[in-house]
Amino acid sequence: MKDRIIGHLTQGRPGPLVILIGGLHGNEIEGVRATERVFEQLKKYTINGEIIGLRGNLTAIAQQRRYVAYDLNRCWTEAHLRFLRSGTIEHAKPEDQEAIALLEIIDHYAEQSVSTKVIADLHTTSAQKGNFVIVPEYYANHPVVEALHIPIVVNMEYFLRGTLLNYSCERGFISFAFEGGQIGSSEAIDLHEAGIWSMLLEAGAVEDTPKNFKEDLTSYLQQLADGLPNRVTAKSMHVVHEGANFSMKAGYFNFKPVQKGEVLAQDKDGPIVSPQDGLIFMPLYQKEGSDGFFIVDLEE
């Protein structure tokens, strides 16, 4: 448990509950590094409520892999949660133990009587221009989400099943996936750090920060989002099946315009084309993962 907890701060003052989870995918370590940086600084300030930082998939982080046995961010389905909670079978897979540990923490805090409860799931993408927030539409206009000043992506819950985001929302948290840049980039750590501070300040979790601190964060985040759409809706998804030998064509990045019929990738069965006009989203440039790409469109 000690290795899982990056930090846990409260000064007994009323305020929000904010839980930051990095490394749910073990090769996406930038959110963990940013959270470590933030906790190094938080002790200098007045804390309202409670702030918790967690490492997600410890086993996969140690191996620098997205996951070991299965994707820890696709297992939060009702059926799998019943399996995890059953206590009647031995959990042999590494992700079973990781999920059980996180589940206990989330369920514990879900029962807390706090007016504002936030879970930010910190990720990075394998493609460029990967700074955006994935959130259910009913939280898309929440001030904590808007404080990130990056593109907002809605409708993803209809394509991605069993995510931590979906489960957390069901348990009463304002929950979202904060994608803070490209895997392996130092800029992604900086972007995550700025986004975390902006969320904490907007939630009212931190006081006594330096003058113009919030304004400087806003300016930095807006600069990184320059030229990106404000808000898009997911329209379609290409699923990668095991053994498909999926390979994206080079040169695609998040929110790049594509046309219906354009060849985007290939697998053992041949070329894979865009099913519609739109913007490509989260094209897969890593070996692990089943989300080949999405097509999103600007909200009208």
Side-chain angles (χ1 to χ4, degrees), residues 120-134:
D121 181 16
L122 312 176
H123 288 270
T124 41
T125 73
S126 60
Q128 294 181 343
K129 299 189 178 181
N131 46 318
F132 49 85
V133 56
I134 297 173

Side-chain angles (χ1 to χ4, degrees), residues 38-274:
V38 170
F39 270 93
E40 287 175 2
Q41 300 297 318
L42 276 173
K43 295 177 183 178
K44 300 189 298 186
Y45 304 118
T46 300
I47 305 298
N48 298 322
E50 197 167 0
I51 307 172
I52 303 165
L54 303 172
R55 298 178 181 89
N57 194 334
L58 297 178
T59 308
I61 289 172
Q63 298 184 28
Q64 299 180 339
R65 295 178 56 185
R66 180 179 174 92
Y67 55 84
V68 178
Y70 61 78
D71 193 330
L72 191 57
N73 200 29
R74 300 293 185 272
C75 72
W76 300 81
T77 63
E78 184 177 343
H80 194 71
L81 291 175
R82 283 199 303 269
F83 162 76
L84 295 175
R85 290 184 173 121
S86 65
T88 59
I89 54 179
E90 183 177 352
H91 305 291
K93 295 179 180 179
E95 274 77 16
D96 291 342
Q97 300 297 339
E98 304 287 354
I100 289 169
L102 290 170
L103 186 61
E104 289 177 351
I105 295 170
I106 292 168
D107 284 352
H108 168 75
Y109 282 102
E111 301 302 324
Q112 301 300 305
S113 172
V114 180
S115 59
T116 301
K117 293 184 287 190
V118 176
I119 288 184
D121 181 16
L122 312 176
H123 288 270
T124 41
T125 73
S126 60
Q128 294 181 343
K129 299 189 178 181
N131 46 318
F132 49 85
V133 56
I134 297 173
V135 63
E137 190 160 10
Y138 49 84
Y139 284 141
N141 295 322
H142 194 281
V144 174
V145 174
E146 292 186 331
L148 291 168
H149 299 287
I150 56 178
I152 292 172
V153 183
V154 300
N155 213 43
M156 289 290 284
E157 64 268 24
Y158 294 102
F159 299 98
L160 297 180
R161 303 294 183 180
T163 63
L164 177 66
L165 182 164
N166 292 341
Y167 177 71
S168 301
C169 286
E170 291 172 2
R171 292 309 317 266
F173 291 91
I174 301 159
S175 186
F176 48 89
F178 172 20
E179 301 275 354
Q182 191 171 21
I183 295 172
S185 67
S186 59
E187 182 183 80
I189 302 176
D190 295 339
L191 197 160
H192 267 112
E193 184 177 6
I196 291 168
W197 278 113
S198 291
M199 288 187 288
L200 293 175
L201 290 170
E202 186 62 43
V206 184
E207 294 183 12
D208 304 327
T209 53
K211 185 180 179 181
N212 298 326
F213 185 47
K214 186 175 182 179
E215 290 77 8
D216 291 343
L217 291 169
T218 297
S219 177
Y220 173 72
L221 290 165
Q222 288 176 332
Q223 180 182 353
L224 289 179
D226 185 43
L228 299 180
N230 292 325
R231 182 162 159 169
V232 299
T233 300
K235 296 293 187 179
S236 63
M237 171 188 181
H238 178 79
V239 178
V240 177
H241 298 287
E242 188 173 354
N245 296 323
F246 176 86
S247 177
M248 280 296 309
K249 286 186 65 177
Y252 288 100
F253 50 83
N254 289 289
F255 307 116
K256 181 178 181 179
V258 296
Q259 296 182 330
K260 182 178 181 179
E262 181 177 341
V263 177
L264 304 179
Q266 64 179 21
D267 63 14
K268 65 179 183 178
D269 296 321
I272 300 168
V273 303
S274 175

Side-chain angles (χ1 to χ4, degrees), residues 18 21 32 99 127 130 145 203 213 227 289:
V18 180
I21 303 178
V32 173
V145 174
F213 185 47

